[in-house]
Amino acid sequence: MKKVFILLFTLLLSANLFAGERKICHGAGYFFTDRCCIVTENDVNVRSGPGTNYSKLYKVNAGDYVHVLDECEEEMFADGAYAHWYKINFEGQEGYMCGRWLSALYGQYPERAEGEEYIVYEYIYSRPEPYNPDWDWENIEILSDRVMHIKDRKITYLDKISFLPNKGDLFVPPEIEIVENSGLPGKKAVVIFNQYVKYGAGWFRKFEIYTLGKNSLSYLLNENSSWEGEYKYIKVVFPDITYDARMDEWIERESPYDSDIIIEKTTGNSYTDKEEVTKIFRPGQDPDEL
């Protein structure tokens, strides 16, 4: 899978650079001072400066937790895309590494130590060259994306999960959260991918929820919540906890029940005070069978 991923974007890069119009880049959230990021590959060299001509200081591996101290002007082409070099701190050691193997879009298993188990997201995009982020952002094209499960330095690519936008739609990289205490059968943790857009006075939130198994994710449900005068608010009620999509928060239930899932949908109009509440009841069972 990795070789195919690299080959595809190398071919796309060659075609676009030959045309002299676009540049293929790596995306994985915003990196800024003291941003915590996850390393997404093993045996990555950390160097004394922003380039491969600088001496090697040490290596970092998949699942290592680093702090970004600064972004460098220098870029590097690696694994089919360009990425900036960053000054980082890893366990008290400073150095420079290419951001091609970093991601700020990740969820961490809450009951495990740092560096053990993560769900991580990254994407590849093309942009005009030269590029001005103030007005060229509408001309960015998302070419591919992938979700990774990283545990104990082992990387598993979850190829069936993708958040590529439809043509003409705005791309919003998902925020990721892993929640352990849902109360579902088998005590499985749930993983939520959350895409939020605010525009003018309105907002829109789309989310997908999966259960976390051994090196895999199993699809559970997807919904959206929005407000723009008319509104739709969604709550997903698990046995032990409720996700409120309007507030983007998890709330522990005072009275846990057996093993059912309830999707509570509230629709209405802020100007007419009309409101309707619908509850969709899903009998409890193993999430893998839903």
Side-chain angles (χ1 to χ4, degrees):
M1 173 62 193
K2 180 179 176 183
K3 291 181 178 179
V4 173
F5 188 80
I6 296 171
L7 177 60
L8 171 62
F9 291 108
T10 302
L11 293 173
L12 286 170
L13 178 72
S14 300
N16 282 295
L17 287 185
F18 182 76
E21 297 177 352
R22 302 187 70 84
K23 184 176 186 178
I24 294 183
C25 303
H26 172 257
Y30 296 103
F31 299 169
F32 48 82
T33 301
D34 206 33
R35 182 66 185 260
C36 298
C37 292
I38 298 302
V39 179
T40 60
E41 187 56 271
N42 288 308
D43 296 321
V44 178
N45 290 316
V46 179
R47 296 178 179 270
S48 59
T52 56
N53 56 316
Y54 290 89
S55 60
K56 301 174 185 178
L57 299 178
Y58 57 92
K59 291 180 182 289
V60 288
N61 294 286
D64 284 342
Y65 194 77
V66 306
H67 291 267
V68 170
L69 304 180
D70 198 12
E71 181 182 86
C72 306
E73 292 184 2
E74 293 82 358
E75 290 184 310
M76 175 178 167
F77 176 71
D79 282 4
Y82 282 94
H84 281 278
W85 284 80
Y86 292 89
K87 184 178 182 180
I88 66 160
N89 185 303
F90 172 62
E91 297 183 347
Q93 304 177 83
E94 292 187 0
Y96 295 80
M97 69 171 289
C98 180
R100 182 64 181 87
W101 303 289
L102 285 175
S103 178
L105 300 170
Y106 65 90
Q108 177 186 347
Y109 196 101
E111 296 300 319
R112 298 184 183 275
E114 291 178 359
E116 286 195 358
E117 187 166 10
Y118 298 94
I119 301 297
V120 185
Y121 181 75
E122 68 175 12
Y123 55 95
I124 300 294
Y125 67 97
S126 71
R127 72 184 191 196
E129 190 66 19
Y131 173 73
N132 188 314
D134 291 333
W135 58 73
D136 283 337
W137 60 271
E138 291 184 339
N139 294 319
I140 285 179
E141 180 182 0
I142 309 301
L143 301 175
S144 185
D145 67 346
R146 63 181 176 186
V147 177
M148 291 169 271
H149 176 267
I150 300 177
K151 182 178 180 181
D152 300 329
R153 298 188 178 180
K154 180 181 178 181
I155 307 165
T156 303
Y157 298 110
L158 308 177
D159 300 329
K160 294 182 179 180
I161 304 174
S162 175
F163 299 94
L164 292 180
N166 295 322
K167 188 174 182 179
D169 288 350
L170 177 67
F171 173 66
V172 181
E175 296 183 356
I176 307 169
E177 186 177 4
I178 303 177
V179 180
E180 185 186 29
N181 56 336
S182 67
L184 290 175
K187 298 183 178 180
K188 290 185 176 181
V190 296
V191 180
I192 182 168
F193 295 88
N194 210 321
Q195 297 171 284
Y196 175 77
V197 178
K198 183 172 175 57
Y199 53 93
W203 57 266
F204 179 85
R205 184 186 307 281
K206 178 182 177 182
F207 61 93
E208 295 185 9
I209 298 180
Y210 296 75
T211 57
L212 177 60
K214 184 177 180 181
N215 302 329
S216 66
L217 294 180
S218 298
Y219 174 79
L220 196 57
L221 60 92
N222 73 83
E223 272 291 350
N224 62 77
S225 196
S226 60
W227 185 93
E228 192 178 7
E230 294 185 350
Y231 57 84
K232 180 172 77 169
Y233 300 147
I234 297 291
K235 289 183 179 180
V236 182
V237 184
F238 294 96
D240 292 347
I241 201 168
T242 296
Y243 176 64
D244 185 340
R246 177 187 180 187
M247 305 303 295
D248 186 28
E249 63 181 8
W250 294 85
I251 305 166
E252 290 190 12
R253 291 177 49 80
E254 294 181 0
S255 303
Y257 55 95
D258 293 333
S259 58
D260 304 315
I261 298 172
I262 300 173
I263 299 174
E264 184 177 296
K265 181 187 301 184
T266 303
T267 56
N269 190 307
S270 300
Y271 307 113
T272 62
D273 294 328
K274 291 183 179 180
E275 186 171 276
E276 180 180 352
V277 178
T278 304
K279 292 186 178 182
I280 303 172
F281 180 81
R282 303 180 69 173
Q285 55 184 308
D286 190 312
D288 289 337
E289 298 176 0
L290 291 174

